[in-house]
Amino acid sequence: MKKAITLRVNGETREVSTDPERPLLEVLREDLDLTGTKYGCGEGHCRACTVLIDGNPVTSCFTPVSQAEGREILTIEGLARDGALHPVQEAFIEKQAMQCGYCVPGMILTSVAFLKTRSMPTLNEVSDCLSGNLCRCCNYPNILAAVELAAAKLRGERNETDA
Ligand code: FES
Ligand code: FES
């Protein structure tokens, strides 16, 4: 049965009328036209559908929309501010960390949350953090390099490899 649900998405309040058990991913893509969040496996195994809820990465394919009610949801569409890309987005572009790009919104949002907890991560820590995010193009070396570059940007530095 449908229910009115109020969501906070990318800083805006959005109202939907839907089955509370419906996956958040479907609501974002089909009801709110936020198609940057990707449908991969639909079973919690690839993390293409990652969004942040209250700053933490979640698989939106596996999260009932009712669980997101009243919490702050961030999708890839809400990451840039005032027309400026987030440093993680800049780093992914600079390191060419995408081929088809399908995994990239999830990779970026997972990285954004991770870099709030680690200002100077080791490569192993970056790799561990993204180990659940699958890239079907196997672009992992560039993705890891992008997250290292993003960490440097967030510290106010640039990677020497980026010169
Ligand atoms: S689509 Fe959600 S984990 Fe794969
Ligand atoms: S760039 Fe194609 S899935 Fe990762």
Side-chain angles (χ1 to χ4, degrees):
M1 187 163 59
K2 286 188 177 180
K3 177 177 175 252
I5 292 180
T6 303
L7 297 173
R8 288 282 301 166
V9 186
N10 300 334
E12 294 180 359
T13 301
R14 308 289 299 265
E15 310 278 350
V16 294
S17 174
T18 191
D19 177 350
E21 293 305 309
R22 201 164 153 227
L24 175 62
L25 174 62
E26 267 187 36
V27 174
L28 291 172
R29 290 181 57 85
E30 297 172 15
D31 297 22
L32 302 180
D33 281 334
L34 294 169
T35 56
T37 307
K38 301 304 183 196
Y39 183 97
C41 64
E43 296 180 343
H45 298 308
C46 73
R47 300 196 187 167
C49 63
T50 299
V51 299
L52 302 188
I53 297 184
D54 294 338
N56 298 309
V58 301
T59 47
S60 61
C61 71
F62 228 57
T63 303
V65 64
S66 56
Q67 282 188 15
E69 187 164 22
R71 301 165 74 190
E72 290 292 333
I73 304 164
L74 181 70
T75 73
I76 196 69
E77 290 91 344
L79 193 55
R81 285 278 179 269
D82 302 323
L85 294 178
H86 187 282
V88 176
Q89 292 174 302
E90 290 178 353
F92 268 66
I93 292 169
E94 289 173 38
K95 289 294 182 185
Q96 299 184 13
M98 60 198 74
Q99 291 186 25
C100 78
Y102 205 81
C103 67
V104 169
M107 292 278 188
I108 287 178
L109 288 171
T110 302
S111 300
V112 166
F114 169 68
L115 292 174
K116 285 203 168 136
T117 67
R118 293 274 192 291
S119 64
M120 203 175 291
T122 64
L123 191 57
N124 278 346
E125 286 173 329
V126 174
S127 179
D128 280 353
C129 140
L130 290 175
S131 61
N133 290 70
L134 304 186
C135 175
R136 63 191 178 187
C137 303
C138 293
N139 198 22
Y140 297 109
N142 290 19
I143 290 167
L144 297 182
V147 179
E148 286 196 302
L149 174 58
K153 284 173 174 282
L154 288 164
R155 293 193 302 269
E157 306 164 5
R158 302 278 298 184
N159 260 2
E160 56 189 26
T161 55
D162 195 50

